[in-house]
Amino acid sequence: MIPVELRPGDHYAAVIVGGGQAGLSVSWHLTRAGVRHVVIERESAAHEWRDGRWDNFTLVTPNWHCRLPGYAYDGPDPDGFMTRDEVYAWVRGYADTFDAPLAEGVEVHRVDRRDDGVFVVQTSVGEITADTVTSATGGYHRPITPSWADDLPERIVQMHSHHYRNAAQLPGTVLVVGTGQSGTQIAEDLHLEGRRVHLAVGRAPRVARFYRGRDCMTWLADMGVYDVPAGAQAAAKRAATNHYVTGRDGGRDIDLRAFAAQGMRLHGRAIGVSRGTLAFDDSLAANLDHADSVAESIKNDIDAYIAREGIDAPTEARYRPEWSPEAGPTLLDLAEIDAVVWAIGFRADWSWLGDLDVLDVHGHPVHERGATTVPGFSFVGLPWLHTWGSGRFHAIARDAEHVAGSVVAAARDVFAVR
């Protein structure tokens, strides 16, 4: 890694905004191609892996999925799951394997494109220009809380999942709202610490950790599921929630029904506060059934693949639910809870894109494998940028190679590399 001190008036053939794994992967290709560029990072390289996860976080994808351009996981446990600090060290170490030109602690406030095709990049240290700009900031920027969160009593501690680190941060009984990957794993974390936990269950699907002798995600990778392009389903896929599972303690299922049998209180979707109570709708049974059906459908696909390929794999009994909820909506007396963890996602913030015409009417990036209709501007590192593997380690290298190719072409063919 080469630390870069940006100076007002500097010009680069390429500016990459974001110093996580996606931005660094594009930088690796540009470095090899000899393109003068800089990676601008508001905090420090790979900081989200350290600063945006809880203490007991692990990857949910096996370590062997971790492969960036010229850099693959080569540790002792390819089928294991790196911890938060291990992932941070691995990604941060990537920048040290090549001369990544990195400007840390610099924020990009706005990007515009002049009539002559040159981009003007307003930063916290002054204005620079570039022939091309690539957004590698991902799509998860602003933590979401519901509008009625302000109706909760002041004594109840509220925290977004992005800021949760461990149970010691929160008093007493905790309500976790949301059952994506973060919500379910945080609920488990609190549950294992002996806390009384209430969980508002949404429509997120789940996947079994292991099936027929292997990790389900290894089966899916072999089946090519992560390589199928989003195509016409891109918008729907973009909004879909990832399947919940955990890599903790070597990896296991997250079975919310089992948690309920052990004392965790499950509810349907949280819908608001009224007269000292928090109301939940009657979707709990349907949501649990949906999650189970998705997990079982994935097993069906694996069974079909094993049969089709003639693979010698052990058989395995199917999942049997050990708990079912009573029908109907539920109410929770607010006096029973001391804290709430909001795990309902993030809202993208593309305000720094200025007047660039790269978003649709809903504020979502419009692109074709990262390329936009604005010459020289690209996205990388977005979920479903091209395939299900996009936005995760499994396909970042492929996406970065494609995007970097267009950046190199623009820098060399459209503009002179200065």
Side-chain angles (χ1 to χ4, degrees):
M1 181 179 71
I2 300 176
V4 173
E5 183 177 350
L6 289 183
R7 297 168 300 178
D10 282 349
H11 180 87
Y12 291 89
V15 163
I16 301 168
V17 183
Q21 60 268 17
L24 292 173
S25 294
V26 174
S27 176
W28 185 87
H29 285 285
L30 299 187
T31 299
R32 283 172 60 96
V35 176
R36 183 171 184 261
H37 70 286
V38 62
V39 180
I40 302 178
E41 169 53 54
R42 180 175 57 189
E43 304 289 342
S44 59
H47 79 98
E48 274 293 327
W49 287 107
R50 179 194 61 198
D51 301 335
R53 269 78 175 181
W54 55 96
D55 294 350
N56 289 317
F57 171 91
T58 66
L59 288 178
V60 299
T61 52
N63 292 334
W64 71 264
H65 281 218
C66 297
R67 49 194 186 196
L68 302 175
Y71 187 75
Y73 174 85
D74 62 355
D77 192 10
D79 294 315
F81 308 91
M82 283 192 281
T83 65
R84 175 194 64 186
D85 294 342
E86 289 171 337
V87 180
Y88 170 72
W90 185 76
V91 178
R92 179 78 188 185
Y94 180 46
D96 295 327
T97 65
F98 66 102
D99 293 332
L102 189 62
E104 296 181 301
V106 178
E107 185 171 4
V108 173
H109 296 311
R110 185 180 175 95
V111 175
D112 293 289
R113 189 170 183 267
R114 297 191 318 221
D115 291 342
D116 63 359
V118 172
F119 290 92
V120 178
V121 183
Q122 303 283 351
T123 79
S124 55
V125 295
E127 179 181 296
I128 63 174
T129 57
D131 296 334
T132 68
V133 173
T134 300
S135 169
T137 64
Y140 308 116
H141 306 139
R142 305 288 185 189
I144 295 174
T145 57
S147 59
W148 50 264
D150 292 339
D151 297 334
L152 292 171
E154 289 187 10
R155 69 166 187 83
I156 294 178
V157 175
Q158 298 188 51
M159 178 180 293
H160 192 273
S161 60
H162 184 67
H163 302 111
Y164 174 80
R165 296 295 173 268
N166 54 60
Q169 291 175 292
L170 302 172
T173 298
V174 184
L175 166 67
V176 179
V177 180
T179 49
Q181 289 181 350
S182 294
T184 53
Q185 291 176 68
I186 289 171
E188 180 193 46
D189 194 55
L190 292 163
H191 181 64
L192 293 175
E193 289 294 322
R195 292 300 188 87
R196 176 71 164 162
V197 179
H198 292 262
L199 179 62
V201 178
R203 285 280 291 178
R206 71 178 185 89
V207 62
R209 179 76 276 171
F210 303 103
Y211 182 60
R212 299 194 66 176
R214 303 177 78 198
D215 190 285
C216 280
M217 293 185 182
T218 297
W219 282 121
L220 293 175
D222 286 353
M223 293 159 61
V225 171
Y226 297 121
D227 302 324
V228 177
Q233 303 180 64
K237 295 294 187 182
R238 179 177 56 211
T241 303
N242 283 326
H243 303 65
Y244 59 81
V245 69
T246 183
R248 189 166 175 172
D249 300 327
R252 55 173 173 256
D253 292 8
I254 290 184
D255 185 350
L256 301 185
R257 297 179 192 269
F259 289 164
Q262 296 162 12
M264 186 182 294
R265 286 284 305 279
L266 304 187
H267 306 270
R269 185 175 63 90
I271 55 179
V273 175
S274 177
R275 299 179 181 179
T277 61
L278 180 56
F280 303 87
D281 68 14
D282 63 352
S283 63
L284 176 58
N287 291 345
L288 291 173
D289 288 345
H290 170 70
D292 291 344
S293 70
V294 172
E296 293 304 295
S297 71
I298 291 172
K299 292 178 182 178
N300 291 341
D301 292 340
I302 293 172
D303 284 342
Y305 174 74
I306 290 171
R308 185 169 64 250
E309 298 297 319
I311 297 171
D312 183 14
T315 58
E316 182 176 327
R318 288 301 190 92
Y319 171 77
R320 286 184 173 275
E322 62 177 285
W323 179 90
S324 295
E326 296 181 1
T330 58
L331 294 174
L332 176 61
D333 190 329
L334 292 176
E336 295 185 36
I337 62 171
D338 303 291
V340 176
V341 176
W342 301 109
I344 54 178
F346 296 80
R347 182 176 294 107
D349 180 3
W350 301 110
S351 57
W352 61 275
L353 295 180
D355 294 327
L356 297 180
D357 187 17
V358 294
L359 305 176
D360 64 18
V361 294
H362 303 293
H364 301 307
V366 178
H367 62 88
E368 181 65 33
R369 292 195 68 179
T372 72
T373 57
V374 175
F377 187 88
S378 304
F379 291 100
V380 72
L382 295 176
W384 287 98
L385 185 89
H386 179 49
T387 66
W388 190 11
S390 297
R392 59 178 70 195
F393 284 123
H394 187 270
I396 284 176
R398 177 176 57 205
D399 290 345
E401 181 178 15
H402 181 81
V403 170
S406 65
V407 173
V408 171
R412 288 182 168 176
D413 299 335
V414 179
F415 308 106
V417 178
R418 306 175 197 179

